[in-house]
Amino acid sequence: MTELHPEVAAVTERVVARSRETRRAYLDLIAREREAGVRRGKLACGNLAHGFAASGEDKAAIRDERTVMNIGIVTAYNDMLSAHQPYGRYPEQIKLFARERGATAQVAGGTPAMCDGVTQGQSGMELSLFSRDTIALSTAVALSHGMFDGAALLGICDKIVPGLLIGALRFGHLPTILIPAGPMPSGLANKEKQRIRQLYAEGKVGRAELLESESASYHAAGTCTFYGTANSNQMMMDMMGLHMPGASFINPGTKLRQAVTRAAIHRLTEIGGAGNDYRPLGLCVDEKAIVNAAVGLLATGGSTNHAIHLPAIARAAGIVIDWEDIDRLSSAVPLIARVYPNGAGDVNHFHAAGGMSFVMAALLDAGLLHDDILTVAGQSLRDHARDPKLDGEDLVFEDAVPESLDDTMLRRPGNPFQPDGGMRLVKGNLGRATFKTSAVEEHRRTIEAPARVFSDQDEVLKAFKAGELERDVVVVVRFQGPKANGMPELHKLTPPLGVLQDRGHRVALVTDGRMSGASGKVPAAIHLSPEALGGGPIGRIRDGDIVRLSAADGLLQVLVDDAEFAARPEAEAPEAAQGTGRELFAFMRQGADTAERGASAMLAAAGL
């Protein structure tokens, strides 16, 4: 057995020590819920009759809670979101798969599933982050009926998997499996898409050419194929052992995809509380599993959004992880994958090169992952480093390929693309922020330049088009934090800032907002905490102040005399926007905690 890397061990010990009291309280909660909580056998007759009234042929089985496992399906299906469109027929399939094992299944409830790709740069993006809390609440409502002995969670995209998992963890006594639906086939190459976007930003092509490019990229049912938050979600569920082995990146509508979904439901019937292999979600998601998710995020160059989501997921299980933990892991975990926007190929190419099974096996071999975690489908995490295949009509699992099938996409830790994981903590007199270095060339990872300050990303675009940013510049975009406007992704800034950088300027972004899993080649300090609203130092930066951002030194500073900087008045916050339902989320903005703690109003109010 490979010895665990000392830094991974040290960070894990740090997380365990910090979480001791909250984790104990969580484990006590799920033990009480298993013994004394709401369940079918304790429901009054009227309650139970309501619960199976419309269950048709399953009615008699659901009525007898002593012998039959009833699975609650929580689905984020809608047919506007390409990644979730395949889920439309999953419930009826899952019911059939459950009956094959003498079990039953019911749709416990649905959750919203917004597409950041549709709302990107629009006012709806200000609802995006808080949709995660809404999804968690919807999941809790779905599972609150006490009708279920296990849960199947159907969700893939950005806030949806974290929301489903946060909600389900409050029912952590239930065995639970997450079931993905897979990425769409590859379309227009991502580098070409990026080129067209920059040409459009420069005014060299029009809307028709841009729409044609985007339509060739996002062209079918399935998850978007770049390695953003949605696909990083799938990676993390693999690393935590919450999927069936190899489930993440099989395309929708294939026999293999259906076979793996069927296997997930069969497996769920085997890990319930009535058998001798009980595997509740709350025990699967422990400190080691959370550290594994962080290691996977760093090793594959995953989405910066998970610097927010992972702490929130952990808190729902009584675990506390912070950005220093992620930074320390980043120093020890090498980057072994190059998937767009960190490379040329997409997740389909990544999967063909060896995919998650290779990544997991390679990291385990290097002592960078905890093997001894409770997973949904194996005796250890090593059992998840396998690929599903069809042998005729039978589903079989094969060991990971011993070597990468494309070393431009995947490598072993001994020969990485870069020696660190590429997600660093930067801090100084402006606060604490995340800097994703994995897509940024090394010579650009330290920038010192005059600031140009904005309070809205559209103001940046106007300044760019007017030629006001044709110089070395640190673009500061403030009042974009969770309390100010819900912390939208500032994805519209990527093309113009990329253009400025390509023209030879030294450019960086500093913001209390997000940049998403599409964070790219321009150096950016994001998620800056404390945010501008409420007194964060970013609110005292003025145009022309020299700002220094250095991933190498872990620094984010404004080079202004301390006394002068402290004496400056705070910038006036923009008036809270209304429309597109944003006013309905005011209570979430007002109650949200910091990005480093997960930017959640719900968890803060619950005292978690």
Side-chain angles (χ1 to χ4, degrees):
M1 183 175 177
T2 306
E3 185 176 351
L4 192 65
H5 189 287
E7 193 63 67
V8 176
V11 169
T12 305
E13 289 171 7
R14 186 171 183 263
V15 172
V16 169
R18 191 191 304 116
S19 309
R20 190 160 283 118
E21 290 186 14
T22 51
R23 180 63 175 172
R24 183 184 300 117
Y26 175 75
L27 295 177
D28 287 346
L29 168 72
I30 65 173
R32 291 195 306 271
E33 288 293 284
R34 185 186 182 196
E35 293 302 318
V38 179
R39 61 177 186 268
R40 270 185 300 156
K42 292 189 173 184
L43 293 177
C45 293
N47 301 139
L48 186 57
H50 274 84
F52 60 64
S55 295
E57 67 182 274
D58 290 329
K59 185 181 291 189
I62 295 173
R63 178 174 180 159
D64 186 2
E65 64 91 22
R66 295 168 300 174
T67 59
V68 174
M69 183 182 198
N70 190 35
I71 297 167
I73 304 166
V74 183
T75 177
Y77 163 74
N78 68 51
D79 64 6
M80 176 277 298
L81 177 47
S82 65
H84 286 210
Q85 186 271 349
Y87 283 136
R89 299 191 65 185
Y90 271 46
E92 62 187 83
Q93 295 172 5
I94 287 171
K95 291 178 183 182
L96 293 172
F97 301 151
R99 289 175 195 143
E100 291 173 345
R101 291 299 178 93
T104 56
Q106 295 176 290
V107 175
T111 76
M114 72 183 294
C115 179
D116 288 1
V118 176
T119 59
Q120 195 70 250
Q122 309 301 318
S123 57
M125 177 52 76
E126 295 183 17
L127 279 60
S128 174
L129 181 59
F130 292 135
S131 77
R132 184 194 63 194
D133 282 13
T134 307
I135 291 161
L137 293 170
S138 300
T139 303
V141 170
L143 296 177
S144 68
H145 295 92
M147 288 289 295
F148 310 110
D149 309 296
L153 306 182
L154 310 186
I156 292 177
C157 285
D158 294 19
K159 317 306 171 296
I160 300 158
V161 166
L164 287 169
L165 194 50
I166 290 167
L169 277 165
R170 304 314 294 175
F171 298 79
H173 61 292
L174 297 177
T176 300
I177 295 181
L178 288 101
I179 300 177
M184 67 179 70
S186 300
L188 182 72
N190 284 301
K191 289 291 187 183
E192 177 62 12
K193 175 182 69 177
Q194 183 185 53
R195 186 183 73 85
I196 297 297
R197 284 178 176 177
Q198 290 200 177
L199 289 174
Y200 180 76
E202 294 177 274
K204 295 180 179 178
V205 301
R207 178 179 168 86
E209 291 87 349
L210 179 63
L211 182 57
E212 186 64 28
S213 168
E214 300 291 338
S215 299
S217 299
Y218 309 116
H219 62 96
T223 318
C224 304
T225 60
F226 70 90
Y227 194 49
T229 310
N231 288 314
S232 298
N233 279 335
Q234 305 316 304
M235 173 278 302
M236 292 204 322
M237 295 308 100
D238 278 345
M239 290 291 180
M240 297 169 77
L242 300 179
H243 279 169
M244 290 301 291
S248 289
F249 300 126
I250 304 164
N251 298 127
T254 61
K255 284 187 175 181
L256 182 57
R257 169 54 66 195
Q258 181 168 297
V260 173
T261 300
R262 182 188 186 204
I265 299 305
H266 288 181
R267 181 59 183 158
L268 196 49
T269 67
E270 297 168 355
I271 60 175
N276 57 8
D277 194 15
Y278 176 50
R279 301 187 183 207
L281 178 64
L283 294 188
C284 291
V285 180
D286 66 3
E287 297 92 337
K288 291 179 180 179
I290 292 292
V291 169
N292 279 357
V295 169
L297 184 70
L298 297 163
T300 60
S303 168
T304 54
N305 276 328
H306 287 302
I308 300 172
H309 295 324
L310 191 57
I313 292 167
R315 283 172 70 188
I319 299 165
V320 183
I321 187 170
D322 64 19
W323 289 347
E324 185 177 339
D325 297 321
I326 294 172
D327 184 71
R328 287 178 60 175
L329 289 171
S330 188
S331 69
V333 176
L335 182 72
I336 64 170
R338 281 279 190 209
V339 194
Y340 184 83
N342 303 333
D346 64 21
V347 293
N348 291 311
H349 303 118
F350 165 79
H351 186 61
M356 284 306 306
S357 63
F358 174 84
V359 168
M360 294 167 75
L363 293 173
L364 284 165
D365 290 344
L368 292 167
L369 289 175
H370 292 281
D371 191 24
D372 57 336
I373 64 170
L374 183 67
T375 72
V376 298
Q379 298 307 308
S380 68
L381 188 63
R382 178 76 65 172
D383 290 336
H384 282 251
R386 296 186 296 165
D387 287 309
K389 307 284 184 184
L390 284 176
D391 182 4
E393 297 296 316
D394 298 327
L395 180 66
V396 297
F397 292 91
E398 299 179 352
D399 290 342
V401 294
E403 298 296 336
S404 169
L405 302 178
D406 181 352
D407 67 4
T408 69
M409 294 289 304
L410 272 176
R411 295 181 183 175
R412 285 196 163 275
N415 179 35
F417 293 102
Q418 66 182 46
D420 68 272
M423 196 174 293
R424 306 310 301 259
L425 169 66
V426 290
K427 56 187 179 179
N429 61 2
L430 291 177
R432 293 160 69 90
T434 298
F435 186 149
K436 182 178 178 180
T437 64
S438 52
V440 178
E441 294 178 81
E442 191 167 357
H443 71 280
R444 297 189 184 279
R445 294 178 188 174
T446 295
I447 302 287
E448 187 174 302
R452 178 70 190 274
V453 183
F454 304 90
S455 296
D456 180 86
Q457 63 178 329
D458 288 329
E459 295 175 1
V460 182
L461 298 181
K462 289 177 184 176
F464 169 77
K465 290 175 181 177
E468 298 171 9
L469 302 178
E470 290 289 341
R471 55 183 172 85
D472 290 357
V473 63
V474 174
V475 173
V476 176
V477 188
R478 61 195 180 193
F479 296 109
Q480 304 300 306
K483 287 182 178 294
N485 65 350
M487 206 178 192
E489 293 178 353
L490 306 178
H491 194 41
K492 284 166 67 172
L493 300 181
T494 301
L497 295 181
V499 168
L500 292 173
Q501 183 170 279
D502 288 349
R503 290 176 181 170
H505 302 304
R506 304 280 289 173
V507 181
L509 172 69
V510 173
T511 181
D512 49 10
R514 295 184 292 130
M515 278 296 284
S516 92
S519 303
K521 64 185 183 180
V522 176
I526 59 178
H527 312 158
L528 180 59
S529 300
E531 63 177 285
L533 187 66
I538 188 176
R540 298 198 297 274
I541 302 176
R542 295 177 179 170
D543 286 346
D545 287 347
I546 302 301
V547 173
R548 179 176 176 82
L549 170 61
S550 175
D553 299 326
L555 290 177
L556 175 59
Q557 296 177 312
V558 58
L559 304 184
V560 176
D561 176 76
D562 289 346
E564 177 195 339
F565 191 62
R568 286 181 181 176
E570 297 172 16
E572 185 176 348
E575 188 174 337
Q578 295 195 351
T580 325
R582 286 174 287 179
E583 57 276 16
L584 301 178
F585 286 75
F587 75 101
M588 287 193 177
R589 293 194 298 272
Q590 291 164 6
D593 52 20
T594 66
E596 188 167 4
R597 284 182 51 77
S600 172
M602 174 188 66
L603 294 173
L608 299 177

